[in-house]
Amino acid sequence: MPAESIASPQLWAATIAVLLGLLTLDFILTRKPHDVPMREAVAWSVFYLALPAVFGVYVWLAHGSEPGVEFFTGYVVEKSLSVDNLFVFMLLLGAFAVPAKLTQRVLLYGIVGALVLRGVFIAAGAALLSAGTWAFLLFGAVLIVTAAKVLRDALRHDEHTVDPGNMRATRLLRRLMPVTDEYHGARLTIRQAGRRALTPMALVVAAVFLTDVVFAVDSVPAVYGVTSDPYLVFATNAFALLGLRALYFVLRNALSKLRHLNHGLAIILAFIGAKLVLHWAHTVWSWVPDVPTPLSLVVIIATLGAVTATSIMANRRELRRAGT
């Protein structure tokens, strides 16, 4: 049976229209590259935080408390995962030496690519769920394995590194077309010596798209662990991704200080994975407990709060040791 959804065709159409409108506005704003000042970044971040809050209230009032809680829980999950995405984007921007004034255009390309990929993965997830409850077991296993890998890397203190020369996407593009040594504004290609050549901008966009694929594998099953409604899964992903461009400029100096973020993400992914496995087991054996969504929201917020607090305390201890 297909997954139940609160969305009518009209609601889907309105949501996609608003999404396309906001993306068009972002492309217009980034048409003239510039380094984003903090005041502008904060203003847009507030706007993109208020937008899902208003939408969540609408879902709550129009469709009931259960879909409302599912939306807010899914949004918190996606937003927490997107912060880790931002950290990887920051490394990519540094590795490719992207000029500061082009940063927001690169981020926007990454957001568009992520939205398209999430749409594909969400549709595939809905098809799997309609085929049988075993899909919950599959999603749960994917998240638990991912959580184990994230926690292992965090405990080993493995640093994220990016080597543009070793990335498959950039190696493939360099074989297909020549690449210029310098950026040419936001252009992806230029005509050079009578033939079309790629700019470094095209390479960094390709690298961002490649990382979007990896992120989609984790994030879509994570939200399906909160709600089986494909519309709510899409809405949480869309709202979480829309504000990434502005949030990057607000958090770029703080991202590296969240040293325990990956520990928290591992806990959240493992918890949601276990929740999915329990939900599958509940459909087979009714005596197996099913984790309620409000409890999931409490656990996720508490985990994020805890790792933020421990990161702050660890940074302060390091500063005191450095001062002695």
Side-chain angles (χ1 to χ4, degrees):
M1 294 293 291
E4 293 185 2
S5 177
I6 65 169
S8 62
Q10 293 80 9
L11 183 56
W12 269 108
T15 302
I16 293 174
V18 171
L19 176 62
L20 291 176
L22 290 171
L23 289 175
T24 301
L25 177 62
D26 270 352
F27 270 104
I28 292 172
L29 292 173
T30 60
R31 183 171 55 86
K32 293 182 178 179
H34 66 282
D35 193 6
V36 179
M38 180 60 72
R39 179 178 295 182
E40 178 183 336
V42 169
W44 280 108
S45 294
V46 171
F47 171 75
Y48 280 120
L49 287 174
L51 206 58
V54 172
F55 180 80
V57 171
Y58 156 74
V59 171
W60 193 303
L61 295 177
H63 301 282
S65 59
E66 185 175 350
V69 173
E70 289 178 353
F71 171 79
F72 282 117
T73 305
Y75 176 74
V76 172
V77 170
E78 278 304 306
K79 206 64 180 178
S80 60
L81 291 173
S82 70
V83 172
D84 194 44
N85 298 11
L86 280 182
F87 184 71
V88 176
F89 286 160
M90 181 176 68
L91 294 175
L92 284 170
L93 292 167
F96 283 92
V98 177
K101 64 181 182 179
L102 297 178
T103 297
Q104 57 179 342
R105 178 50 68 97
V106 173
L107 292 172
L108 187 54
Y109 280 132
I111 291 167
V112 172
L115 283 169
V116 172
L117 288 168
R118 302 290 171 88
V120 173
F121 276 75
I122 289 167
L128 283 174
L129 290 176
S130 66
T133 58
W134 57 267
F136 288 110
L137 184 61
L138 174 63
F139 288 169
V142 168
L143 292 181
I144 291 172
V145 170
T146 302
K149 181 183 181 301
V150 172
L151 184 60
R152 182 195 64 196
D153 293 344
L155 293 176
R156 289 179 179 176
H157 302 289
D158 287 351
E159 296 291 336
H160 287 294
T161 57
V162 174
D163 183 359
N166 287 331
M167 296 189 73
R168 293 180 182 177
T170 58
R171 291 205 308 267
L172 177 61
L173 287 175
R174 286 184 182 276
R175 289 180 188 148
L176 294 175
M177 293 179 67
V179 180
T180 64
D181 294 328
E182 298 179 352
Y183 285 86
H184 294 265
R187 298 175 65 183
L188 300 178
T189 65
I190 64 166
R191 184 164 292 278
Q192 187 179 68
R195 62 181 301 190
R196 182 66 59 180
L198 297 173
T199 68
M201 185 75 165
L203 298 185
V204 68
V205 169
V208 168
F209 281 1
L210 190 62
T211 60
D212 284 339
V213 176
V214 178
F215 292 143
V217 173
D218 298 337
S219 65
V220 172
V223 183
Y224 269 121
V226 175
T227 176
S228 59
D229 185 338
Y231 174 76
L232 289 179
V233 175
F234 177 78
T236 55
N237 274 267
F239 280 118
L241 289 169
L242 279 174
L244 278 190
R245 180 178 64 84
L247 189 62
Y248 172 86
F249 295 100
V250 175
L251 295 181
R252 58 182 166 183
N253 294 324
L255 287 173
S256 59
K257 297 179 182 179
L258 294 174
R259 58 177 67 193
H260 296 156
L261 175 63
N262 280 350
H263 297 76
L265 294 179
I267 293 171
I268 291 171
L269 290 173
F271 171 77
I272 297 176
K275 180 180 184 296
L276 281 167
V277 173
L278 286 173
H279 181 70
W280 166 81
H282 181 75
T283 63
V284 180
W285 304 288
S286 59
W287 54 268
V288 175
D290 201 5
V291 180
T293 303
L295 177 60
S296 301
L297 180 58
V298 171
V299 171
I300 292 165
I301 292 177
T303 302
L304 292 174
V307 297
T308 300
T310 57
S311 295
I312 292 172
M313 289 188 290
N315 291 333
R316 288 177 178 173
R317 284 196 301 269
E318 187 174 280
L319 285 173
R320 284 198 295 268
R321 283 196 298 267
T324 56

